[in-house]
Amino acid sequence: MFPLKPEEQLREIKLGSVDLVSEAELLAKLKKSYETKTPLRVKAGFDPSRPDLHLGHVVLINKMRQLQNLGHHVMFLIGDFTGLIGDPTGKNETRPALTEEEVQENAKTYARQVFKVLDPERTEVLYNSQWMGQLTATDFIRLVAQYNVARMLERDDFNKRFKGGESIAIHEFLYPLVQGYDSVAMKADLELGGTDQRFNLLVGRDIQKAYGVSQQCILTMPILEGLDGVQKMSKSLNNYIAVEDSPTEMFGKTMRLSDELMVRYYELLGDMTADSLAQFKKDLSIGKKHPRDAKADLAKSFVARFHSSEAATKAEEEFNRMFQQKGLPDEMPEVVLSAQDSMGLCQLIVAAGLAKSNGEARRLVEGRAIERDGEKLLDPKMFMSLSSGEEFVLKAGKKRFAKVKVS
């Protein structure tokens, strides 16, 4: 039933993670699971705040698939109830709660997209409205009585806002408590989350203890950097690869990764074991594996996973045709720009010498004439990060090109 022994499972589970609470507890759970042939119940929750999943979300989902492959029971929780509350994690002010209609519509897309990674036959999809909607006022009072305000203010973002005299709505305190009650209802043995969720995951352990349920272990995963290699992957920063990007977009965006970031994507999003990952890094360091080839392999793996093997082959052929087989001119002007966190697209076009003014640049964008490494850029108000060492080709129309290098 289990392909690896408990100690070997633990090693694979820890791969790419940031924090495990606690290693001794999880090993004990794995040993009991192995002896009794009873899979661990693994939980990860996603609030449907937006309709699209990107590779930042896939870091967690990939770890869930790894646990499936190790023989454990994965529970993909869609927070349709918590989505109505709105988790302020990582924000310095309250995140607006969504309407019930928005939550339900986004939840449908999550359920569809997640099976591009997880095995549907070995995945249990749950909605926390199933149990939270059944709680009475008395039940809620019992739940909130399990925690006090002083403990809640230990959460970093709450603490900063409290000390800064900023508003904290009472309903925000409910979020980690509800997330903790989810673990009670689901009888979770292990919960996964990003590093920004550590406080909430620990609250889950406390709530389980208060309700007489065996406490879950928690495993936190790193926040994935976007294509800029600096800020977290985000659609608003336009540094993302979406699960439902077209094969051409997905392949082209992956090829834009720096060599260093490419290795990190292998660590967090690949299918490698600890041993194969170590060998891969060694091959890169001694020149046995060329970074460009490794990047192409990574790009093909993404397209194959989220589309098909045939689509991956076609995407690679298209990329090579455009960027290696005279799709670009042999010579083009080079522009060196300084690294910066935020540069407007129109400003970039002017700096690259492809337009004389912001007004002209805006008209080029609105006319669908601007591409970055083959990807159409359609928002004249867009801002992007420029990271040191980054290189890309900016194209205006059919014949005007500029190679941008960031120092």
Side-chain angles (χ1 to χ4, degrees):
M1 179 178 181
F2 299 107
L4 299 176
K5 293 182 179 179
E7 292 80 5
E8 296 171 322
Q9 290 187 51
L10 181 64
R11 184 185 179 204
E12 296 300 322
I13 291 169
K14 289 170 58 181
L15 183 65
S17 67
V18 175
D19 193 19
L20 172 59
V21 179
S22 74
E23 185 169 325
E25 287 183 37
L26 182 56
L27 182 58
K29 287 178 181 286
L30 289 169
K31 287 181 176 178
K32 182 177 179 181
S33 167
Y34 190 84
E35 292 166 359
T36 61
K37 295 183 170 61
T38 304
L40 295 185
R41 296 176 62 82
V42 180
K43 168 197 175 191
F46 297 79
D47 282 354
S49 55
R50 296 196 178 198
D52 299 315
L53 293 176
H54 54 61
L55 294 191
H57 300 113
V58 175
V59 171
L60 273 186
I61 301 172
N62 216 45
K63 180 60 68 172
M64 295 169 72
R65 185 181 66 175
Q66 183 186 51
L67 282 152
Q68 281 185 329
N69 293 338
L70 290 174
H72 300 292
H73 179 68
V74 161
M75 299 176 289
F76 183 85
L77 176 65
I78 296 177
D80 58 337
F81 185 89
T82 39
L84 296 173
I85 299 175
D87 180 18
T89 298
K91 306 291 183 182
N92 57 12
E93 58 184 22
T94 304
R95 177 189 297 173
L98 301 177
T99 66
E100 186 170 357
E101 291 74 19
E102 289 173 322
V103 167
Q104 292 302 326
E105 189 60 34
N106 292 347
K108 291 178 184 176
T109 70
Y110 276 30
R112 179 185 73 244
Q113 294 173 66
V114 71
F115 291 129
K116 291 178 178 288
V117 182
L118 298 178
D119 181 349
E121 295 184 1
R122 295 188 293 168
T123 305
E124 184 178 5
V125 178
L126 298 166
Y127 298 79
N128 59 5
S129 62
Q130 293 174 244
W131 47 85
M132 294 308 305
Q134 303 300 315
L135 294 189
T136 65
T138 302
D139 294 329
F140 251 106
I141 291 172
R142 181 190 175 198
L143 173 59
V144 300
Q146 307 306 321
Y147 237 70
N148 60 53
V149 173
R151 288 290 306 279
M152 198 63 72
L153 288 176
E154 291 175 5
R155 181 166 142 165
D156 186 58
D157 57 311
F158 285 156
N159 186 270
K160 288 178 180 177
R161 286 160 61 188
F162 178 72
K163 290 181 176 178
E166 300 174 25
S167 173
I168 304 175
I170 295 296
H171 79 278
E172 295 182 68
F173 285 168
L174 293 178
Y175 189 97
L177 298 177
V178 171
Q179 183 172 334
Y181 189 80
D182 291 341
S183 295
V184 173
M186 297 167 69
K187 297 182 174 62
D189 294 307
L190 173 66
E191 182 169 11
L192 313 181
T195 53
D196 57 348
Q197 286 286 317
R198 190 177 190 277
F199 179 89
N200 291 358
L201 303 180
L202 288 171
V203 171
R205 284 171 57 88
D206 293 338
I207 298 300
Q208 283 181 313
K209 183 177 181 180
Y211 279 82
V213 176
S214 177
Q215 287 179 289
Q216 65 187 14
C217 296
I218 67 170
L219 185 76
T220 61
M221 298 296 294
I223 304 299
L224 184 70
E225 296 90 348
L227 301 178
D228 54 21
V230 179
Q231 302 188 71
K232 66 181 288 187
M233 184 170 285
S234 167
K235 293 199 72 175
S236 61
L237 295 174
N238 197 43
N239 65 353
Y240 69 98
I241 300 176
V243 166
E244 294 194 328
D245 271 346
S246 71
T248 301
E249 286 180 306
M250 192 172 288
F251 195 97
K253 287 180 178 180
T254 305
M255 294 302 291
R256 283 165 45 190
L257 296 174
S258 67
D259 293 349
E260 181 180 353
L261 193 60
M262 176 261 293
V263 174
R264 184 161 172 78
Y265 276 42
Y266 265 104
E267 289 178 334
L268 300 180
L269 297 164
D271 293 322
M272 293 182 175
T273 63
D275 290 337
S276 60
L277 181 61
Q279 184 62 50
F280 169 74
K281 291 180 179 179
K282 181 180 178 181
D283 290 345
L284 281 175
S285 66
I286 63 176
K288 187 176 180 180
K289 183 75 171 180
H290 195 282
R292 194 273 177 201
D293 295 335
K295 213 172 295 182
D297 290 343
L298 182 65
K300 287 177 69 175
S301 73
F302 289 158
V303 177
R305 178 186 300 182
F306 300 120
H307 294 280
S308 68
S309 298
E310 293 77 12
T313 300
K314 289 181 180 179
E316 183 178 34
E317 291 173 351
E318 176 68 11
F319 183 87
N320 290 339
R321 184 184 69 80
M322 288 294 297
F323 293 93
Q324 289 185 311
Q325 300 170 7
K326 306 302 181 180
L328 293 176
D330 293 330
E331 297 183 4
M332 67 183 80
E334 288 191 2
V335 179
V336 179
L337 301 178
S338 299
Q340 49 191 291
D341 292 336
S342 182
M343 186 176 194
L345 174 57
C346 291
Q347 182 185 358
L348 172 62
I349 295 169
V350 173
L354 298 178
K356 295 181 179 180
S357 66
N358 284 342
E360 181 185 353
R362 184 175 62 255
R363 288 190 292 273
L364 286 170
V365 176
E366 292 172 345
R368 304 175 64 86
I370 298 297
E371 295 181 11
R372 171 175 166 161
D373 284 348
E375 177 189 355
K376 289 281 187 184
L377 302 181
L378 304 175
D379 183 4
K381 297 180 181 179
M382 186 181 86
F383 284 81
M384 61 183 68
S385 299
L386 300 181
S387 304
S388 180
E390 183 180 11
E391 293 185 12
F392 56 89
V393 174
L394 208 60
K395 178 183 177 183
K398 295 182 178 181
K399 298 182 179 180
R400 299 163 64 197
F401 300 86
K403 179 179 287 186
V404 178
K405 295 185 176 182
V406 185
S407 63

